[in-house]
Amino acid sequence: MHRDFTRTSGRERDQEDKSPPYRNDRHARDVQRDSYRRREPSYRDDDRRQRDKDLYSDRKRDRYRDDNRYGDRDREYGREDDRLREREGSDSRRAGPSRRSASPRARSSQPESRSRSRSAAAEDKAKPNFAPSGLLAAETKTVKRADGTNTVLKYHEPPEARKPSVGWRLYVFKGKEQVDLLHIHRQSAYLIGRDRAVVDIAVEHPSCSKQHAVIQYRQVQEKNEFGDVKSAVKPFIIDLESTNGTIVNDETIPTSRYYELMVGDVIKFGESTREYVLLSEDAA
């Protein structure tokens, strides 16, 4: 029996052609999946490179923004330092050279200067201060009264104060009558006023101040007719900013300044009519 292979093969082909379509689709999907799996590593590498590129660009953009921000802050600090430097320059022209050194970095100049000022202030407080406070001078110028109250003297003798070697005297006149004689050579200064607790020569007139004036003997340098310089102790008078002033030879003398007295000068205090004539024992 002879078998027809041609017809059989044709029928098989027809059966193959009549196969369900979903089988062909599944085959295509399998082929696509296999190709994607083969190409997947390359896709992954591309994605990683793209992510790295995006991250680098983001970092670069952030760094640029930070540089701009720090640059603005540096410029602001620089302007502030310029203003401080100009202010210190003007102060140094008035008060002398400045000791402040320039900061190496403008950004850290303000905190360093503040910390330096704090540390300097702490060191100054810790160090002993031997400068005169004025308390001792106030204590030496204070006179305690019998009732317990204190009176502060308005006058303090200068370093050139000396006790005179000449016997100076004050002749007190009221009108044409001599009412008193005062010897004023036993000490270097005589305080004149109404406050009997502190003055050396008391005046009673109400126009006179409590501490009115002082007769002060001072050692001064003077030249003789040959040009030689020698020391001499001479009398001076100083008005202690009294209310009605001090008059010498009918002229009001300036306040708080020494005025040299000569033999025969006539002194008056305030509106008092009493006259104090200065003479020495040699002239008398």
Side-chain angles (χ1 to χ4, degrees):
M1 183 177 177
H2 180 71
R3 190 175 180 176
D4 191 358
F5 293 98
T6 305
R7 185 177 299 175
T8 303
S9 61
R11 195 165 43 247
E12 291 176 354
R13 283 196 300 274
D14 293 338
Q15 292 178 355
E16 290 177 358
D17 294 337
K18 294 178 181 180
S19 61
Y22 70 89
R23 291 183 178 179
N24 294 331
D25 295 339
R26 186 173 63 185
H27 178 69
R29 286 196 301 271
D30 293 341
V31 172
Q32 186 177 2
R33 183 173 62 252
D34 292 340
S35 64
Y36 177 76
R37 286 178 178 176
R38 287 193 299 270
R39 294 172 58 188
E40 185 177 3
S42 62
Y43 287 145
R44 290 178 180 176
D45 293 340
D46 293 339
D47 293 340
R48 187 181 298 108
R49 283 194 293 270
Q50 186 64 32
R51 287 196 302 272
D52 293 341
K53 186 182 297 183
D54 295 339
L55 181 61
Y56 176 75
S57 63
D58 292 340
R59 290 180 177 175
K60 187 175 182 181
R61 185 170 58 256
D62 294 339
R63 189 181 301 109
Y64 179 75
R65 185 170 58 252
D66 294 339
D67 291 341
N68 290 334
R69 185 171 63 252
Y70 286 126
D72 296 338
R73 190 169 62 181
D74 290 342
R75 285 191 293 272
E76 183 64 27
Y77 281 132
R79 287 193 292 269
E80 183 66 22
D81 284 346
D82 293 338
R83 287 194 291 269
L84 291 175
R85 198 172 294 110
E86 292 177 359
R87 191 181 307 165
E88 291 178 357
S90 62
D91 294 339
S92 64
R93 284 192 295 272
R94 290 193 303 267
S98 175
R99 298 180 59 184
R100 183 179 182 273
S101 58
S103 175
R105 295 182 62 184
R107 205 184 311 172
S108 61
S109 62
Q110 273 189 332
E112 288 182 1
S113 62
R114 291 175 182 172
S115 61
R116 190 181 300 112
S117 62
R118 293 195 194 99
S119 61
E123 290 178 0
D124 292 341
K125 290 182 179 179
K127 290 181 179 179
N129 185 6
F130 297 105
S133 62
L135 297 177
L136 182 59
E139 183 68 22
T140 56
K141 292 182 180 181
T142 302
V143 177
K144 190 172 183 179
R145 296 172 177 268
D147 57 357
T149 59
N150 294 327
T151 301
V152 179
L153 298 177
K154 297 173 61 176
Y155 179 76
H156 192 68
E157 292 193 64
E160 68 272 13
R162 296 292 187 274
K163 185 177 177 180
S165 57
V166 179
W168 292 97
R169 302 172 184 177
L170 278 178
Y171 291 86
V172 185
F173 290 88
K174 187 174 183 180
K176 295 183 178 181
E177 180 183 359
Q178 180 180 348
V179 295
D180 201 356
L181 172 62
L182 304 175
H183 297 274
I184 54 171
H185 62 276
R186 297 185 177 93
Q187 56 194 46
S188 58
Y190 288 85
L191 178 59
I192 304 168
R194 289 190 298 108
D195 193 351
R196 291 182 175 273
V198 295
V199 301
D200 301 301
I201 301 175
V203 290
E204 303 293 342
H205 201 274
S207 64
C208 298
S209 301
K210 292 183 179 181
Q211 300 180 47
H212 195 102
V214 173
I215 294 178
Q216 176 70 62
Y217 296 100
R218 303 170 59 205
Q219 184 179 17
V220 295
Q221 304 292 328
E222 62 178 4
K223 291 184 178 180
N224 57 14
E225 57 183 356
F226 301 106
D228 299 331
V229 179
K230 64 177 182 177
S231 299
V233 178
K234 292 187 174 184
F236 292 81
I237 189 169
I238 181 172
D239 184 86
L240 301 180
E241 298 180 351
S242 63
T243 305
N244 296 302
T246 302
I247 302 170
V248 177
N249 298 330
D250 296 329
E251 293 183 3
T252 303
I253 65 174
T255 61
S256 303
R257 294 181 61 183
Y258 288 110
Y259 185 90
E260 185 177 355
L261 295 175
M262 301 292 184
V263 175
D265 284 345
V266 180
I267 308 169
K268 296 174 66 174
F269 303 102
E271 297 179 0
S272 176
T273 59
R274 294 199 175 196
E275 297 179 344
Y276 296 80
V277 181
L278 180 65
L279 296 173
S280 65
E281 58 184 8
D282 298 335

